[in-house]
Amino acid sequence: MREFLKTTIVPSIKVPKVGFESVTVENLHITLYISGFQDKPNFCILLDVPTEKFGRLIGMPNEQKEGELTSKEQQFVLLED
């Protein structure tokens, strides 16, 4: 999942350049509070979660150990998580 996040989801994340006023209510967004940089003041950043491309649920890969029966149970993680 970490590799899928880095190679597929992160390149699709958009940060609105204009500010909070340009954000549409139809999209899912995550607000991050950024702090700890010595030369920059604390600030907020708004991320547009790419639900239109991936949906809200991402299927987790099934881990199958040798000799075990395969389960038809599927696990999911929310895209924003």
Side-chain angles (χ1 to χ4, degrees), residues 22-75:
S22 67
V23 174
T24 60
V25 217
E26 293 86 22
N27 295 349
L28 180 64
H29 298 89
I30 296 175
T31 305
L32 299 175
Y33 180 73
I34 310 293
S35 65
F37 292 100
Q38 293 177 355
D39 58 342
K40 292 185 179 181
N42 300 342
F43 60 97
C44 287
I45 189 170
L46 192 67
L47 298 179
D48 185 10
V49 180
T51 54
E52 67 280 350
K53 186 172 184 178
F54 301 105
R56 286 280 307 275
L57 296 173
I58 303 295
M60 297 286 292
N62 287 334
E63 292 184 17
Q64 181 181 354
K65 296 180 182 174
E66 193 173 321
E68 288 186 4
L69 295 174
T70 58
S71 172
K72 295 193 187 273
E73 185 177 297
Q74 179 71 40
Q75 294 182 359

Short mmCIF file of all heavy atoms in Angstrom, two decimals, residues 22-75:
data_model
loop_
_atom_site.label_atom_id
_atom_site.label_comp_id
_atom_site.label_asym_id
_atom_site.label_seq_id
_atom_site.Cartn_x
_atom_site.Cartn_y
_atom_site.Cartn_z
N SER A 22 -11.32 29.26 -3.62
CA SER A 22 -11.48 28.61 -4.91
C SER A 22 -11.90 27.14 -4.80
O SER A 22 -12.09 26.48 -5.81
CB SER A 22 -10.17 28.68 -5.69
OG SER A 22 -9.19 27.90 -5.04
N VAL A 23 -12.07 26.65 -3.60
CA VAL A 23 -12.37 25.23 -3.38
C VAL A 23 -13.85 24.96 -3.62
O VAL A 23 -14.71 25.72 -3.18
CB VAL A 23 -11.99 24.84 -1.93
CG1 VAL A 23 -12.41 23.43 -1.63
CG2 VAL A 23 -10.52 25.02 -1.73
N THR A 24 -14.14 23.87 -4.33
CA THR A 24 -15.53 23.49 -4.55
C THR A 24 -15.99 22.55 -3.45
O THR A 24 -15.22 21.77 -2.92
CB THR A 24 -15.70 22.78 -5.91
OG1 THR A 24 -14.89 21.61 -5.91
CG2 THR A 24 -15.30 23.68 -7.05
N VAL A 25 -17.27 22.63 -3.14
CA VAL A 25 -17.81 21.82 -2.04
C VAL A 25 -18.01 20.37 -2.47
O VAL A 25 -18.09 19.50 -1.63
CB VAL A 25 -19.17 22.37 -1.58
CG1 VAL A 25 -19.34 22.25 -0.09
CG2 VAL A 25 -19.44 23.77 -2.01
N GLU A 26 -18.05 20.11 -3.76
CA GLU A 26 -18.30 18.76 -4.26
C GLU A 26 -17.11 17.82 -4.04
O GLU A 26 -17.26 16.62 -4.04
CB GLU A 26 -18.63 18.78 -5.76
CG GLU A 26 -19.93 19.45 -6.09
CD GLU A 26 -19.78 20.96 -6.24
OE1 GLU A 26 -18.66 21.43 -6.51
OE2 GLU A 26 -20.79 21.66 -6.08
N ASN A 27 -15.92 18.37 -3.90
CA ASN A 27 -14.72 17.54 -3.75
C ASN A 27 -14.38 17.32 -2.28
O ASN A 27 -14.74 18.11 -1.42
CB ASN A 27 -13.53 18.20 -4.45
CG ASN A 27 -13.71 18.28 -5.94
OD1 ASN A 27 -14.61 17.67 -6.50
ND2 ASN A 27 -12.87 19.04 -6.59
N LEU A 28 -13.65 16.24 -2.03
CA LEU A 28 -13.16 15.94 -0.69
C LEU A 28 -11.79 16.57 -0.52
O LEU A 28 -10.94 16.46 -1.40
CB LEU A 28 -13.07 14.42 -0.50
CG LEU A 28 -12.59 13.92 0.85
CD1 LEU A 28 -13.58 14.30 1.94
CD2 LEU A 28 -12.41 12.42 0.82
N HIS A 29 -11.60 17.26 0.61
CA HIS A 29 -10.34 17.94 0.87
C HIS A 29 -9.81 17.57 2.25
O HIS A 29 -10.57 17.23 3.14
CB HIS A 29 -10.51 19.46 0.80
CG HIS A 29 -10.95 19.92 -0.54
ND1 HIS A 29 -12.27 20.03 -0.88
CD2 HIS A 29 -10.25 20.28 -1.63
CE1 HIS A 29 -12.36 20.45 -2.12
NE2 HIS A 29 -11.13 20.60 -2.60
N ILE A 30 -8.50 17.67 2.40
CA ILE A 30 -7.84 17.48 3.68
C ILE A 30 -7.05 18.74 3.97
O ILE A 30 -6.32 19.24 3.09
CB ILE A 30 -6.90 16.26 3.65
CG1 ILE A 30 -7.69 14.98 3.44
CG2 ILE A 30 -6.09 16.18 4.94
CD1 ILE A 30 -6.83 13.75 3.28
N THR A 31 -7.19 19.29 5.17
CA THR A 31 -6.42 20.46 5.56
C THR A 31 -5.27 20.01 6.44
O THR A 31 -5.46 19.28 7.41
CB THR A 31 -7.30 21.45 6.35
OG1 THR A 31 -8.44 21.77 5.56
CG2 THR A 31 -6.54 22.71 6.69
N LEU A 32 -4.06 20.44 6.09
CA LEU A 32 -2.87 20.10 6.86
C LEU A 32 -2.31 21.37 7.48
O LEU A 32 -2.20 22.40 6.81
CB LEU A 32 -1.80 19.47 5.97
CG LEU A 32 -2.16 18.17 5.27
CD1 LEU A 32 -1.03 17.75 4.35
CD2 LEU A 32 -2.46 17.09 6.27
N TYR A 33 -1.95 21.29 8.74
CA TYR A 33 -1.29 22.41 9.42
C TYR A 33 0.20 22.11 9.41
O TYR A 33 0.65 21.10 9.95
CB TYR A 33 -1.82 22.54 10.85
CG TYR A 33 -1.20 23.67 11.62
CD1 TYR A 33 -1.54 24.99 11.33
CD2 TYR A 33 -0.27 23.43 12.62
CE1 TYR A 33 -0.97 26.03 12.03
CE2 TYR A 33 0.31 24.47 13.32
CZ TYR A 33 -0.06 25.77 13.02
OH TYR A 33 0.52 26.80 13.72
N ILE A 34 0.97 22.97 8.77
CA ILE A 34 2.41 22.77 8.61
C ILE A 34 3.16 23.68 9.57
O ILE A 34 2.91 24.88 9.61
CB ILE A 34 2.85 23.08 7.16
CG1 ILE A 34 1.96 22.36 6.14
CG2 ILE A 34 4.31 22.76 6.96
CD1 ILE A 34 2.08 20.87 6.14
N SER A 35 4.07 23.11 10.33
CA SER A 35 4.89 23.91 11.25
C SER A 35 6.26 23.26 11.39
O SER A 35 6.48 22.15 10.94
CB SER A 35 4.21 24.02 12.61
OG SER A 35 4.15 22.75 13.22
N GLY A 36 7.17 23.96 12.01
CA GLY A 36 8.47 23.38 12.32
C GLY A 36 9.59 23.81 11.39
O GLY A 36 10.73 23.40 11.59
N PHE A 37 9.29 24.60 10.36
CA PHE A 37 10.35 25.10 9.49
C PHE A 37 10.95 26.35 10.11
O PHE A 37 10.24 27.26 10.51
CB PHE A 37 9.80 25.42 8.09
CG PHE A 37 9.38 24.19 7.33
CD1 PHE A 37 8.05 23.84 7.25
CD2 PHE A 37 10.32 23.39 6.71
CE1 PHE A 37 7.65 22.71 6.55
CE2 PHE A 37 9.94 22.26 6.01
CZ PHE A 37 8.60 21.91 5.94
N GLN A 38 12.25 26.43 10.17
CA GLN A 38 12.92 27.55 10.83
C GLN A 38 12.71 28.86 10.09
O GLN A 38 12.54 29.90 10.71
CB GLN A 38 14.42 27.27 10.96
CG GLN A 38 14.72 26.13 11.90
CD GLN A 38 16.21 25.82 11.96
OE1 GLN A 38 16.99 26.38 11.23
NE2 GLN A 38 16.57 24.90 12.84
N ASP A 39 12.72 28.83 8.77
CA ASP A 39 12.65 30.07 8.01
C ASP A 39 11.24 30.42 7.51
O ASP A 39 11.05 31.41 6.82
CB ASP A 39 13.60 30.02 6.82
CG ASP A 39 13.31 28.84 5.90
OD1 ASP A 39 12.63 27.90 6.33
OD2 ASP A 39 13.77 28.87 4.75
N LYS A 40 10.23 29.61 7.86
CA LYS A 40 8.87 29.87 7.40
C LYS A 40 7.92 29.87 8.59
O LYS A 40 8.06 29.07 9.52
CB LYS A 40 8.42 28.80 6.41
CG LYS A 40 9.16 28.83 5.10
CD LYS A 40 8.58 27.82 4.14
CE LYS A 40 9.31 27.87 2.83
NZ LYS A 40 8.79 26.94 1.85
N PRO A 41 6.91 30.75 8.55
CA PRO A 41 5.90 30.73 9.61
C PRO A 41 4.98 29.50 9.44
O PRO A 41 4.95 28.88 8.37
CB PRO A 41 5.14 32.03 9.40
CG PRO A 41 5.32 32.33 7.95
CD PRO A 41 6.69 31.81 7.58
N ASN A 42 4.25 29.18 10.48
CA ASN A 42 3.28 28.09 10.40
C ASN A 42 2.20 28.45 9.38
O ASN A 42 1.82 29.61 9.26
CB ASN A 42 2.65 27.84 11.77
CG ASN A 42 3.68 27.47 12.81
OD1 ASN A 42 4.79 27.07 12.48
ND2 ASN A 42 3.34 27.62 14.07
N PHE A 43 1.71 27.46 8.66
CA PHE A 43 0.68 27.73 7.66
C PHE A 43 -0.18 26.49 7.44
O PHE A 43 0.17 25.39 7.86
CB PHE A 43 1.30 28.20 6.34
CG PHE A 43 2.25 27.21 5.71
CD1 PHE A 43 1.82 26.36 4.72
CD2 PHE A 43 3.58 27.14 6.12
CE1 PHE A 43 2.69 25.45 4.14
CE2 PHE A 43 4.46 26.24 5.54
CZ PHE A 43 4.01 25.40 4.55
N CYS A 44 -1.32 26.70 6.78
CA CYS A 44 -2.22 25.60 6.42
C CYS A 44 -2.15 25.37 4.93
O CYS A 44 -1.92 26.29 4.14
CB CYS A 44 -3.66 25.95 6.79
SG CYS A 44 -3.99 25.90 8.54
N ILE A 45 -2.33 24.14 4.55
CA ILE A 45 -2.36 23.76 3.14
C ILE A 45 -3.59 22.88 2.93
O ILE A 45 -3.97 22.11 3.81
CB ILE A 45 -1.06 23.04 2.72
CG1 ILE A 45 -1.01 22.84 1.23
CG2 ILE A 45 -0.90 21.74 3.46
CD1 ILE A 45 0.34 22.36 0.74
N LEU A 46 -4.23 23.04 1.81
CA LEU A 46 -5.44 22.30 1.49
C LEU A 46 -5.14 21.33 0.35
O LEU A 46 -4.66 21.74 -0.71
CB LEU A 46 -6.54 23.28 1.07
CG LEU A 46 -7.94 22.72 0.97
CD1 LEU A 46 -8.44 22.33 2.35
CD2 LEU A 46 -8.86 23.73 0.34
N LEU A 47 -5.40 20.05 0.57
CA LEU A 47 -5.16 19.03 -0.45
C LEU A 47 -6.48 18.57 -1.03
O LEU A 47 -7.42 18.27 -0.29
CB LEU A 47 -4.44 17.82 0.15
CG LEU A 47 -3.06 18.05 0.74
CD1 LEU A 47 -2.52 16.76 1.30
CD2 LEU A 47 -2.12 18.62 -0.29
N ASP A 48 -6.55 18.50 -2.34
CA ASP A 48 -7.72 17.98 -3.03
C ASP A 48 -7.52 16.47 -3.18
O ASP A 48 -6.64 16.02 -3.90
CB ASP A 48 -7.84 18.65 -4.40
CG ASP A 48 -9.10 18.25 -5.14
OD1 ASP A 48 -9.97 17.59 -4.53
OD2 ASP A 48 -9.21 18.58 -6.33
N VAL A 49 -8.32 15.68 -2.47
CA VAL A 49 -8.20 14.21 -2.52
C VAL A 49 -8.78 13.73 -3.86
O VAL A 49 -9.91 14.07 -4.20
CB VAL A 49 -8.96 13.56 -1.34
CG1 VAL A 49 -8.85 12.06 -1.38
CG2 VAL A 49 -8.44 14.10 -0.01
N PRO A 50 -8.01 12.97 -4.65
CA PRO A 50 -8.45 12.59 -6.01
C PRO A 50 -9.49 11.47 -6.04
O PRO A 50 -9.28 10.41 -6.62
CB PRO A 50 -7.14 12.17 -6.68
CG PRO A 50 -6.29 11.68 -5.57
CD PRO A 50 -6.65 12.52 -4.37
N THR A 51 -10.64 11.71 -5.40
CA THR A 51 -11.69 10.69 -5.37
C THR A 51 -12.30 10.46 -6.75
O THR A 51 -12.79 9.36 -7.01
CB THR A 51 -12.80 11.08 -4.38
OG1 THR A 51 -13.27 12.39 -4.70
CG2 THR A 51 -12.30 11.05 -2.95
N GLU A 52 -12.29 11.47 -7.62
CA GLU A 52 -12.87 11.29 -8.96
C GLU A 52 -12.06 10.29 -9.77
O GLU A 52 -12.59 9.63 -10.66
CB GLU A 52 -12.98 12.63 -9.71
CG GLU A 52 -11.67 13.28 -10.09
CD GLU A 52 -10.98 14.04 -8.95
OE1 GLU A 52 -11.58 14.24 -7.88
OE2 GLU A 52 -9.81 14.41 -9.14
N LYS A 53 -10.79 10.12 -9.45
CA LYS A 53 -9.93 9.18 -10.18
C LYS A 53 -9.92 7.79 -9.54
O LYS A 53 -9.89 6.78 -10.24
CB LYS A 53 -8.51 9.73 -10.23
CG LYS A 53 -7.56 8.94 -11.07
CD LYS A 53 -6.24 9.64 -11.22
CE LYS A 53 -5.34 8.87 -12.14
NZ LYS A 53 -4.06 9.56 -12.35
N PHE A 54 -9.93 7.72 -8.19
CA PHE A 54 -9.76 6.44 -7.49
C PHE A 54 -11.00 5.98 -6.73
O PHE A 54 -11.03 4.85 -6.25
CB PHE A 54 -8.60 6.53 -6.49
CG PHE A 54 -7.29 6.87 -7.13
CD1 PHE A 54 -6.76 8.13 -7.03
CD2 PHE A 54 -6.61 5.93 -7.87
CE1 PHE A 54 -5.55 8.47 -7.62
CE2 PHE A 54 -5.40 6.23 -8.47
CZ PHE A 54 -4.87 7.51 -8.35
N GLY A 55 -12.00 6.85 -6.54
CA GLY A 55 -13.11 6.51 -5.67
C GLY A 55 -12.70 6.72 -4.22
O GLY A 55 -11.60 7.21 -3.94
N ARG A 56 -13.56 6.39 -3.28
CA ARG A 56 -13.23 6.59 -1.87
C ARG A 56 -12.57 5.37 -1.24
O ARG A 56 -11.83 5.49 -0.27
CB ARG A 56 -14.51 6.89 -1.05
CG ARG A 56 -15.10 8.25 -1.23
CD ARG A 56 -14.44 9.36 -0.46
NE ARG A 56 -14.25 9.26 0.94
CZ ARG A 56 -15.12 9.57 1.87
NH1 ARG A 56 -16.32 9.97 1.57
NH2 ARG A 56 -14.81 9.48 3.14
N LEU A 57 -12.84 4.17 -1.76
CA LEU A 57 -12.32 2.95 -1.16
C LEU A 57 -11.23 2.34 -2.04
O LEU A 57 -11.39 2.17 -3.24
CB LEU A 57 -13.43 1.92 -0.97
CG LEU A 57 -14.53 2.32 0.01
CD1 LEU A 57 -15.65 1.28 -0.02
CD2 LEU A 57 -13.98 2.45 1.41
N ILE A 58 -10.12 1.99 -1.40
CA ILE A 58 -9.01 1.32 -2.08
C ILE A 58 -8.91 -0.10 -1.52
O ILE A 58 -8.79 -0.29 -0.30
CB ILE A 58 -7.67 2.06 -1.84
CG1 ILE A 58 -7.77 3.52 -2.27
CG2 ILE A 58 -6.52 1.35 -2.53
CD1 ILE A 58 -7.98 3.73 -3.74
N GLY A 59 -8.98 -1.09 -2.39
CA GLY A 59 -8.89 -2.48 -1.96
C GLY A 59 -7.48 -2.83 -1.50
O GLY A 59 -6.51 -2.51 -2.19
N MET A 60 -7.38 -3.45 -0.34
CA MET A 60 -6.08 -3.87 0.19
C MET A 60 -5.67 -5.17 -0.50
O MET A 60 -6.52 -6.02 -0.78
CB MET A 60 -6.19 -4.13 1.70
CG MET A 60 -6.53 -2.90 2.52
SD MET A 60 -5.16 -1.79 2.67
CE MET A 60 -4.07 -2.76 3.69
N PRO A 61 -4.38 -5.33 -0.77
CA PRO A 61 -3.94 -6.61 -1.35
C PRO A 61 -4.12 -7.75 -0.34
O PRO A 61 -3.90 -7.56 0.85
CB PRO A 61 -2.46 -6.37 -1.66
CG PRO A 61 -2.06 -5.18 -0.88
CD PRO A 61 -3.30 -4.40 -0.58
N ASN A 62 -4.56 -8.88 -0.83
CA ASN A 62 -4.75 -10.04 0.04
C ASN A 62 -3.42 -10.71 0.32
O ASN A 62 -2.64 -10.96 -0.60
CB ASN A 62 -5.69 -11.07 -0.60
CG ASN A 62 -7.13 -10.61 -0.59
OD1 ASN A 62 -7.52 -9.82 0.26
ND2 ASN A 62 -7.90 -11.10 -1.53
N GLU A 63 -3.14 -10.96 1.59
CA GLU A 63 -1.93 -11.69 1.96
C GLU A 63 -2.31 -13.15 2.16
O GLU A 63 -3.17 -13.47 2.96
CB GLU A 63 -1.34 -11.12 3.25
CG GLU A 63 -0.78 -9.73 3.08
CD GLU A 63 -0.10 -9.24 4.35
OE1 GLU A 63 0.21 -10.06 5.22
OE2 GLU A 63 0.09 -8.03 4.46
N GLN A 64 -1.68 -14.01 1.40
CA GLN A 64 -1.97 -15.43 1.49
C GLN A 64 -0.71 -16.16 1.91
O GLN A 64 0.32 -16.06 1.27
CB GLN A 64 -2.46 -15.95 0.14
CG GLN A 64 -2.82 -17.42 0.18
CD GLN A 64 -3.27 -17.90 -1.19
OE1 GLN A 64 -3.42 -17.11 -2.12
NE2 GLN A 64 -3.48 -19.18 -1.31
N LYS A 65 -0.81 -16.88 3.02
CA LYS A 65 0.32 -17.67 3.48
C LYS A 65 0.23 -19.06 2.87
O LYS A 65 -0.84 -19.56 2.59
CB LYS A 65 0.32 -17.74 5.01
CG LYS A 65 0.52 -16.39 5.65
CD LYS A 65 0.52 -16.47 7.13
CE LYS A 65 0.68 -15.08 7.72
NZ LYS A 65 0.54 -15.08 9.16
N GLU A 66 1.37 -19.66 2.70
CA GLU A 66 1.43 -20.98 2.09
C GLU A 66 0.64 -21.99 2.92
O GLU A 66 0.77 -22.06 4.13
CB GLU A 66 2.89 -21.42 1.98
CG GLU A 66 3.08 -22.63 1.09
CD GLU A 66 4.54 -22.93 0.88
OE1 GLU A 66 5.33 -21.99 0.74
OE2 GLU A 66 4.87 -24.13 0.89
N GLY A 67 -0.19 -22.76 2.24
CA GLY A 67 -0.96 -23.81 2.91
C GLY A 67 -2.29 -23.33 3.46
O GLY A 67 -3.08 -24.15 3.92
N GLU A 68 -2.59 -22.03 3.44
CA GLU A 68 -3.87 -21.54 3.94
C GLU A 68 -4.88 -21.45 2.80
O GLU A 68 -4.53 -21.22 1.65
CB GLU A 68 -3.71 -20.14 4.56
CG GLU A 68 -2.98 -20.15 5.87
CD GLU A 68 -2.97 -18.76 6.49
OE1 GLU A 68 -3.60 -17.84 5.94
OE2 GLU A 68 -2.34 -18.60 7.53
N LEU A 69 -6.14 -21.63 3.16
CA LEU A 69 -7.20 -21.45 2.18
C LEU A 69 -7.37 -19.97 1.89
O LEU A 69 -7.19 -19.13 2.77
CB LEU A 69 -8.51 -22.02 2.71
CG LEU A 69 -8.56 -23.53 2.93
CD1 LEU A 69 -9.87 -23.93 3.58
CD2 LEU A 69 -8.40 -24.25 1.60
N THR A 70 -7.71 -19.64 0.66
CA THR A 70 -7.93 -18.23 0.34
C THR A 70 -9.29 -17.80 0.86
O THR A 70 -10.26 -18.53 0.80
CB THR A 70 -7.86 -17.99 -1.18
OG1 THR A 70 -8.83 -18.80 -1.82
CG2 THR A 70 -6.48 -18.31 -1.71
N SER A 71 -9.34 -16.60 1.36
CA SER A 71 -10.57 -16.04 1.88
C SER A 71 -11.20 -15.14 0.83
O SER A 71 -10.50 -14.47 0.08
CB SER A 71 -10.27 -15.22 3.14
OG SER A 71 -11.42 -14.52 3.54
N LYS A 72 -12.52 -15.15 0.76
CA LYS A 72 -13.21 -14.26 -0.18
C LYS A 72 -13.45 -12.90 0.47
O LYS A 72 -14.00 -12.01 -0.15
CB LYS A 72 -14.52 -14.89 -0.61
CG LYS A 72 -14.31 -16.16 -1.41
CD LYS A 72 -15.58 -16.59 -2.08
CE LYS A 72 -15.42 -17.92 -2.73
NZ LYS A 72 -14.91 -17.89 -4.05
N GLU A 73 -12.99 -12.75 1.69
CA GLU A 73 -13.14 -11.48 2.39
C GLU A 73 -12.17 -10.46 1.81
O GLU A 73 -11.01 -10.76 1.57
CB GLU A 73 -12.85 -11.70 3.87
CG GLU A 73 -13.09 -10.49 4.73
CD GLU A 73 -12.86 -10.82 6.19
OE1 GLU A 73 -13.58 -11.66 6.73
OE2 GLU A 73 -11.92 -10.23 6.76
N GLN A 74 -12.66 -9.25 1.58
CA GLN A 74 -11.82 -8.18 1.02
C GLN A 74 -11.75 -7.04 2.05
O GLN A 74 -12.75 -6.70 2.65
CB GLN A 74 -12.42 -7.66 -0.28
CG GLN A 74 -11.67 -6.54 -0.92
CD GLN A 74 -10.35 -6.97 -1.53
OE1 GLN A 74 -10.26 -8.03 -2.14
NE2 GLN A 74 -9.33 -6.18 -1.36
N GLN A 75 -10.58 -6.48 2.23
CA GLN A 75 -10.41 -5.36 3.13
C GLN A 75 -10.15 -4.10 2.32
O GLN A 75 -9.53 -4.15 1.27
CB GLN A 75 -9.26 -5.62 4.09
CG GLN A 75 -9.53 -6.77 5.03
CD GLN A 75 -8.39 -6.98 6.00
OE1 GLN A 75 -7.39 -6.29 5.97
NE2 GLN A 75 -8.55 -7.95 6.87
#
